[in-house]
Amino acid sequence: MISASKHKHPEFTKAPIVVRSDYTRKGSQLADNDGNYRYLSVKYEFMLERHGAYVLEQSIEKDQAVLYFRSGRSIIRPKIQLEAKPAQVESQLEKLAKKCLSCKCYTDISCKFCQMPFCNTICFDALAVAHKERCGKGSPPEIDDAIISEFSKIQLPPSGSNVKISAFEQTNVLYVRSAEIGDEISYYKVLSDVMLHGKQASKLTKMPQCGEIVIYKSSVQIVRAMVLNVDNPQAIYVVCVDYGNVEITTLDTLYECTAYLAGLPRYALPVLLRAVPRRFMSPNIRSMLYELDHTYTFVLKYSKRDFDFDKGMQRVVLIESELNRSLNRLINIIINPVEPSISEIGYKEDYLQHVHLPTGKNIELVVMDNTFIKFGVIHCTILDYAYEITSMQRNIQHYGESIAKCKSFAAPKNELCIAKYEGKWCRGVCMELVGDGYPSILFIDYGNIAPVNVDDIRPYPPQFTFPILTTEYELLDMPDDITEEQLAHLETHLALGAIINCDEVIYNELDNNYSLRIDHARQPWEFLGVARAGGFIMGGHHADRFLLLSIPVFNFFSTL
């Protein structure tokens, strides 16, 4: 059985988080707090985790600290910070140290003549003029808050410095901070100060502006964050400035940030890994990056000539300090696929994780393929997964065009392969081998089946562990003698690439499949109240009749 017609696979591109007009409009706070336009090209790479597609480890006990994993950020919270009250911690710190006049962090370093406290050479340079005037008089200078904003522009540590990774944004973009002892102390002082003062912050009563600095209280941490996008109140994009990770949250987790907290220095800076391409965040690269917590120290290597002015980041090489291993090389090994030999045993469909669709009422699904609608089968996913499928398709295309060298390949039945369809390379499963050189390939990210010449098929690389995000829907109660008019009506309202509003999706545990309900009225197979505009389909809400669709979890066609 093959698809009756050949349609191009639908593509979905997500709107950018930040656009240039967010910087150029009058009074833009984003332009003030991100003068290098850094977040103009920022991406959110953790949608699968946000939907629960991957089960992440929530916490690991390490000595007297707890390491939290959340969307690529690892956070260490000493127990003393969780148990002590702000007043107690303040009094204890004041006995041991004083606040730096520049960054307002606690430090035990001071001028031996006038006792002026400062954290490091950067702080001292910022205070140099005022210090020179007052030091000879035997008393520290009086500094206003204006110098704090100047200090907040931290520079990348010099080449050869020790750094630690605070977050990863993409396969080739990481956030690093200095691991020198003085900077380590100052960094954790900032985190402690933000947490202690943030506990008293007032909740935001209205939507913040793009670029506004706020306090973000997640389930595990109180951090400073800069607002990036407020188009959707239920999906506000913020970046945690002390780590670098981008999060999606709601208004009830955001609080007002004082000028003092907003002016504290930022130590986490983005870097671009030299010679590492941007690739889809597959499970194997995620697993490796999650291990890069605060316990690993890297030597930072770069040349100022390698600065990327388009992205506003320095290209660097990170060398693990103990074993002298290049992180750039390790990531390249993981993300770059290697073409297996045609004599090697291939991979079955169960090599990949099959992500289940959500259940409940009023769920929107995207039609990925409807070429088998005559037989009561369509293939769908949710919109966020459709974005992920388009993203992973770039990796597959690069493999087919630039890496795979095999000129022809006949994949064994039920094994994965890479096959070309309508000019693009896609993931597929060989459904049937025939003697004419055109085996039937099921394109698992979409759902259609087409005969493909062996010259357009390549072996499946083991590095492609991308999950399967598309599921088959079996339409129940369809008439056996469906007319051409009824079929055309279904194809119109369940069009390829359309977003349909499903009244309810129910999981049938006994049969290991799903049922999907779409209410309709009057005549069978006529969906009233359905209007299509710009590729979207909205379903009416009528209860006198309904249509059931079953969604098998595994490959429906493999049982035929």
Side-chain angles (χ1 to χ4, degrees):
M1 186 184 298
I2 62 173
S3 299
S5 57
K6 275 197 171 186
H7 301 300
K8 285 190 175 181
H9 292 152
E11 296 184 356
F12 301 86
T13 304
K14 196 173 182 64
I17 299 176
V18 176
V19 295
R20 188 167 294 274
S21 60
D22 294 326
Y23 289 88
T24 57
R25 68 169 179 265
K26 186 177 180 181
S28 170
Q29 295 190 44
L30 196 58
D32 296 334
N33 293 317
D34 183 26
N36 294 328
Y37 286 37
R38 160 69 188 98
Y39 295 100
L40 186 61
S41 59
V42 73
K43 308 291 182 183
Y44 185 79
E45 300 282 0
F46 307 98
M47 196 60 68
L48 292 178
E49 295 173 11
R50 183 168 182 257
H51 285 282
Y54 299 139
V55 179
L56 301 179
E57 195 168 6
Q58 297 301 316
S59 62
I60 301 176
E61 295 293 336
K62 283 194 174 182
D63 299 329
Q64 295 182 346
V66 179
L67 182 64
Y68 287 91
F69 291 102
R70 189 168 186 273
S71 293
R73 182 185 72 238
S74 52
I75 305 173
I76 292 181
R77 301 176 64 192
K79 289 186 176 180
I80 187 175
Q81 293 186 3
L82 303 179
E83 299 169 356
K85 296 181 180 179
Q88 294 176 336
V89 176
E90 290 280 355
S91 60
Q92 292 172 5
L93 287 173
E94 288 174 357
K95 294 178 182 179
L96 302 174
K98 296 180 180 180
K99 283 188 176 181
C100 171
L101 294 187
S102 176
C103 67
K104 305 302 182 182
C105 293
Y106 284 100
T107 179
D108 57 356
I109 306 173
S110 61
C111 173
K112 64 180 180 179
F113 298 107
C114 66
Q115 309 304 316
M116 181 194 75
F118 61 93
C119 288
N120 46 42
T121 55
I122 299 178
C123 284
F124 187 82
D125 291 342
L127 299 165
V129 176
H131 173 251
K132 185 176 181 180
E133 295 176 355
R134 298 292 301 178
C135 185
K137 300 178 182 180
S139 61
E142 296 181 359
I143 304 296
D144 57 25
D145 292 336
I147 199 169
I148 297 178
S149 60
E150 297 177 7
F151 179 82
S152 61
K153 299 178 181 179
I154 299 295
Q155 294 183 348
L156 188 67
S159 181
S161 302
N162 290 325
V163 297
K164 290 185 178 180
I165 296 173
S166 62
F168 57 89
E169 179 184 297
Q170 300 167 17
T171 55
N172 62 342
V173 177
L174 303 176
Y175 278 80
V176 299
R177 58 178 179 82
S178 173
E180 304 300 333
I181 184 63
D183 294 328
E184 281 264 271
I185 295 173
S186 299
Y187 174 72
Y188 281 106
K189 286 175 183 175
V190 170
L191 297 185
S192 177
D193 225 10
V194 170
M195 187 188 70
L196 295 177
H197 290 82
K199 288 182 178 179
Q200 313 300 325
S202 302
K203 224 172 201 181
L204 288 180
T205 57
K206 61 180 181 179
M207 293 293 290
Q209 298 181 16
C210 291
E212 183 177 346
I213 303 296
V214 297
I215 296 296
Y216 168 44
K217 295 185 180 182
S218 67
S219 59
V220 297
Q221 188 83 341
I222 300 174
V223 297
R224 295 182 298 171
M226 183 171 67
V227 179
L228 296 179
N229 189 296
V230 292
D231 291 344
N232 183 359
Q234 299 303 316
I236 301 175
Y237 286 81
V238 299
V239 55
C240 301
V241 297
D242 292 315
Y243 298 95
N245 56 294
V246 175
E247 301 282 351
I248 302 178
T249 186
T250 54
L251 182 62
D252 59 348
T253 65
L254 303 182
Y255 295 76
E256 295 179 1
C257 183
T258 63
Y260 163 68
L261 291 182
L264 289 178
R266 307 175 190 176
Y267 290 90
L269 294 172
V271 293
L272 192 64
L273 296 180
R274 184 192 301 167
V276 177
R278 181 185 170 219
R279 293 289 183 258
F280 181 76
M281 278 285 188
S282 59
N284 49 359
I285 187 65
R286 276 182 170 90
S287 299
M288 188 276 291
L289 291 175
Y290 279 136
E291 297 297 326
L292 303 180
D293 54 51
H294 292 272
T295 61
Y296 287 87
T297 301
F298 297 87
V299 178
L300 182 69
K301 296 285 188 180
Y302 65 89
S303 170
K304 292 184 178 180
R305 292 174 298 179
D306 283 340
F307 188 84
D308 191 320
F309 290 95
D310 293 333
K311 297 182 179 180
M313 289 181 287
Q314 177 69 53
R315 293 189 182 93
V316 304
V317 174
L318 292 178
I319 308 295
E320 203 274 323
S321 56
E322 291 188 3
L323 300 178
N324 197 31
R325 295 179 299 186
S326 170
L327 178 63
N328 302 49
R329 184 182 303 166
L330 176 60
I331 294 179
N332 269 324
I333 291 174
I334 295 176
I335 66 175
N336 288 324
V338 177
E339 184 180 25
S341 170
I342 58 175
S343 60
E344 295 181 21
I345 299 177
Y347 300 93
K348 304 290 186 181
E349 189 175 348
D350 57 8
Y351 175 70
L352 307 173
Q353 177 189 359
H354 195 295
V355 176
H356 292 223
L357 292 179
T359 60
K361 296 183 178 180
N362 297 321
I363 294 178
E364 288 186 339
L365 296 177
V366 180
V367 179
M368 300 297 287
D369 183 75
N370 64 359
T371 56
F372 288 102
I373 199 169
K374 181 178 180 179
F375 305 101
V377 174
I378 61 173
H379 294 74
C380 298
T381 188
I382 62 175
L383 182 58
D384 282 334
Y385 289 172
Y387 294 135
E388 298 293 314
I389 291 173
T390 301
S391 297
M392 71 175 68
Q393 189 62 44
R394 299 189 187 101
N395 293 30
I396 300 170
Q397 186 70 15
H398 174 72
Y399 170 79
E401 293 293 336
S402 304
I403 297 178
K405 303 302 180 182
C406 180
K407 294 185 178 181
S408 63
F409 178 68
K413 186 177 181 180
N414 296 328
E415 286 193 3
L416 296 170
C417 63
I418 302 296
K420 183 177 284 189
Y421 175 79
E422 295 294 302
K424 289 191 175 182
W425 296 94
C426 309
R427 295 194 299 174
V429 175
C430 182
M431 306 304 299
E432 182 184 18
L433 283 173
V434 291
D436 60 355
Y438 285 84
S440 298
I441 303 298
L442 164 65
F443 295 96
I444 56 178
D445 293 315
Y446 302 95
N448 62 312
I449 297 180
V452 180
N453 189 274
V454 292
D455 292 342
D456 292 329
I457 302 177
R458 302 291 182 264
Y460 193 89
Q463 291 78 14
F464 282 171
T465 58
F466 314 142
I468 299 176
L469 305 174
T470 301
T471 308
E472 296 118 348
Y473 292 60
E474 181 187 355
L475 281 69
L476 302 180
D477 298 331
M478 277 188 61
D480 295 333
D481 54 347
I482 184 171
T483 65
E484 292 297 328
E485 183 180 0
Q486 292 172 334
L487 183 60
H489 188 83
L490 275 178
E491 290 178 343
T492 300
H493 294 292
L494 299 178
L496 189 67
I499 299 178
I500 56 175
N501 188 3
C502 308
D503 293 277
E504 189 173 9
V505 176
I506 306 170
Y507 174 62
N508 305 311
E509 186 174 359
L510 182 62
D511 297 327
N512 193 31
N513 63 14
Y514 292 82
S515 297
L516 181 140
R517 179 171 61 86
I518 301 178
D519 293 340
H520 64 288
R522 295 187 182 179
Q523 299 179 9
W525 310 103
E526 287 190 15
F527 294 79
L528 296 186
V530 178
R532 185 179 184 193
F536 289 79
I537 290 185
M538 306 300 293
H541 298 277
H542 304 280
D544 52 337
R545 293 178 183 270
F546 60 89
L547 173 66
L548 288 178
L549 301 98
S550 174
I551 312 170
V553 174
F554 301 104
N555 189 350
F556 172 76
F557 293 100
S558 63
T559 62
L560 292 180

